[in-house]
Amino acid sequence: MGHADLTAVPEIRRALRELLRHRAEQTCTDVAELLTTELVTNALVHTDHDAEITATVGASRLRVEVRDFAADHPQLRLPVADDGTHGRGLVLVQALADAWGVRAQGVGKSVWFELDVDGGGPE
């Protein structure tokens, strides 16, 4: 997905919702969709590169990774009140994820988060 492909974000949300349909509580699914949207949007808006999204669900945990091909690591910053909606993505990830981080990955990086899933269907 490239920089101009922000229109693909709803499709990514639908795919994640389907993945979690029988495996997680609705609240977890809602948070996963929000955080995934933030990370994908950040990757596309702040780089001129494509992004790859991987979501893995285990018995009790969801892990979503968004990989881009830019070397710059994202900076967690407190949003400024008059800055519209900019600067809140990583703050949301930090506040809502059970774990999150950034991992260098060859050319580029992966920004990931994990959530506990409570609705646990079969793995």
Side-chain angles (χ1 to χ4, degrees), residues 1 10 21 26-27 29-30 41 61-62 64 67 69 77 88 90 93-95 98 101 105 107 116:
M1 171 174 32
R21 186 170 53 150
Q26 186 62 47
T27 302
T29 300
D30 293 343
T41 301
R61 202 106 162 145
L62 164 70
V64 174
R67 180 178 183 197
F69 300 92
R77 62 185 174 104
R88 290 171 173 74
L90 288 180
V93 173
Q94 182 182 42
D98 293 307
Q105 195 167 23
V107 175
D116 292 332

Side-chain angles (χ1 to χ4, degrees), residues 43 46-50 67-73 107-109:
H46 297 295
T47 73
D48 289 325
H49 301 278
D50 292 340
R67 180 178 183 197
D68 66 48
F69 300 92
D72 295 339
H73 280 234
V107 175
K109 67 196 165 290

Side-chain angles (χ1 to χ4, degrees), residues 16 19 53-57 62-65:
L16 185 61
L19 175 68
I53 298 92
T54 305
T56 308
V57 160
L62 164 70
R63 182 180 179 98
V64 174
E65 292 191 40

Side-chain angles (χ1 to χ4, degrees), residues 7-92:
T7 58
V9 172
E11 181 180 328
I12 293 165
R13 291 173 65 102
R14 279 190 296 277
L16 185 61
R17 195 175 318 121
E18 182 62 28
L19 175 68
L20 295 174
R21 186 170 53 150
H22 298 295
R23 298 174 183 235
E25 298 291 330
Q26 186 62 47
T27 302
C28 178
T29 300
D30 293 343
V31 170
E33 285 185 50
L34 172 66
L35 299 185
T36 300
T37 298
E38 292 295 336
L39 294 186
V40 169
T41 301
N42 282 351
L44 295 177
V45 168
H46 297 295
T47 73
D48 289 325
H49 301 278
D50 292 340
E52 296 176 353
I53 298 92
T54 305
T56 308
V57 160
S60 63
R61 202 106 162 145
L62 164 70
R63 182 180 179 98
V64 174
E65 292 191 40
V66 178
R67 180 178 183 197
D68 66 48
F69 300 92
D72 295 339
H73 280 234
Q75 299 297 315
L76 180 66
R77 62 185 174 104
L78 295 177
V80 178
D82 63 352
D83 196 18
T85 59
H86 299 290
R88 290 171 173 74
L90 288 180
V91 172
L92 285 171

